[in-house]
Amino acid sequence: MRSPFLRRGLVALALLLGGLATAPARAQNADPSFNVVNRAGRTIQELYVSSAQENAWGQDLLGRNVLQNGRSFPVRLPTGQCVNDIRVVYEGGQSEERRALDTCPLNEVVFGQGAQASPGAGKGGGAAAPGQTGNPSFNLVNRTRKTIQVLRASPSSESNWGDDRLGDAVVAPGGTFAVRLPVGECTYDIRVEYDDRAAEERRAVNLCSVSNVTFP
């Protein structure tokens, strides 16, 4: 018969081995990195990934590169940042998003398998239908010779501009900045302020029908 001390020792050893066996799996599950796979039949020109808790898309991860159909692109994220929003912009300006996606258990995020892409256009859209809702996120494109230092965008139903959506960023001449807005109202007023203190506005823009808003 085994002594109580021996039984206790065996139990402790089993618990220790069990903890060691599960440690790598836990570490692996906390890794949110993944590959974006393009199966849309067209080129992805921009890629944005940010924590679902953030209110801005940040920088285009592709930079000067593009993601051709059938290719993949690795996205590296900080350990533990599991719930993320992902946005791709295709050639021609159409975009597609995945919101609040848990990427920790995933190896790949595939675009183009029957998902609907929101239509894109040039400077501004036509007026939205009354009560129309959708995704008003857009790219601010600076085609002027001045730096945009402030961007304000608010629903046309509101009476104030709200906070600067660039934060600490600026948009240099020729630059682009991805602006993420909450899903809901489509019609927005947009105001930019330049480094020479001049300002320019667009009123009642249907952002749900465009991907890019270009100044001038």
Side-chain angles (χ1 to χ4, degrees):
M1 178 179 297
R2 295 176 179 174
S3 69
F5 298 102
L6 180 58
R7 287 199 297 272
R8 290 173 187 171
L10 291 173
V11 170
L13 179 60
L15 291 174
L16 176 61
L17 292 176
L20 291 175
T22 58
R26 290 176 182 172
Q28 183 179 7
N29 288 340
D31 182 4
S33 299
F34 60 95
N35 291 324
V36 171
V37 182
N38 182 5
R39 293 181 185 162
R42 49 187 169 166
T43 299
I44 293 175
Q45 293 186 321
E46 299 173 33
L47 168 64
Y48 303 92
V49 180
S50 66
S51 169
Q53 297 178 352
E54 298 292 333
N55 59 6
W57 283 110
Q59 298 297 316
D60 173 17
L61 298 183
L62 293 180
R64 296 183 178 180
N65 300 315
V66 297
L67 185 58
Q68 301 286 351
N69 182 53
R71 305 297 295 273
S72 63
F73 181 85
V75 175
R76 301 291 175 253
L77 298 173
T79 299
Q81 184 183 310
C82 289
V83 183
N84 296 286
D85 295 338
I86 307 168
R87 182 175 192 251
V88 299
V89 180
Y90 298 103
E91 57 184 350
Q94 291 180 316
S95 64
E96 186 176 353
E97 295 181 5
R98 306 286 171 82
R99 297 282 185 138
L101 187 65
D102 183 0
T103 62
C104 281
L106 303 178
N107 291 322
E108 295 182 345
V109 175
V110 180
F111 283 86
Q113 293 184 321
Q116 295 295 321
S118 58
K123 287 187 176 180
Q132 179 182 349
T133 59
N135 180 10
S137 298
F138 67 96
N139 292 319
L140 173 67
V141 182
N142 183 4
R143 295 282 171 79
T144 74
R145 297 182 179 179
K146 301 180 288 186
T147 297
I148 296 175
Q149 293 186 321
V150 176
L151 166 66
R152 304 186 192 278
S154 64
S156 297
S157 60
E158 296 184 2
S159 59
N160 60 77
W161 283 110
D163 296 332
D164 174 18
R165 296 185 181 273
L166 293 182
D168 295 330
V170 297
V171 186
T176 300
F177 185 88
V179 181
R180 187 171 68 177
L181 298 172
V183 173
E185 186 172 338
C186 290
T187 306
Y188 271 72
D189 297 336
I190 304 168
R191 174 184 173 89
V192 298
E193 299 173 16
Y194 299 101
D195 52 1
D196 63 355
R197 298 187 179 182
E200 191 172 356
E201 297 179 4
R202 301 280 170 77
R203 296 280 182 165
V205 180
N206 180 6
L207 291 178
C208 294
S209 69
V210 303
S211 290
N212 298 327
V213 176
T214 304
F215 285 85

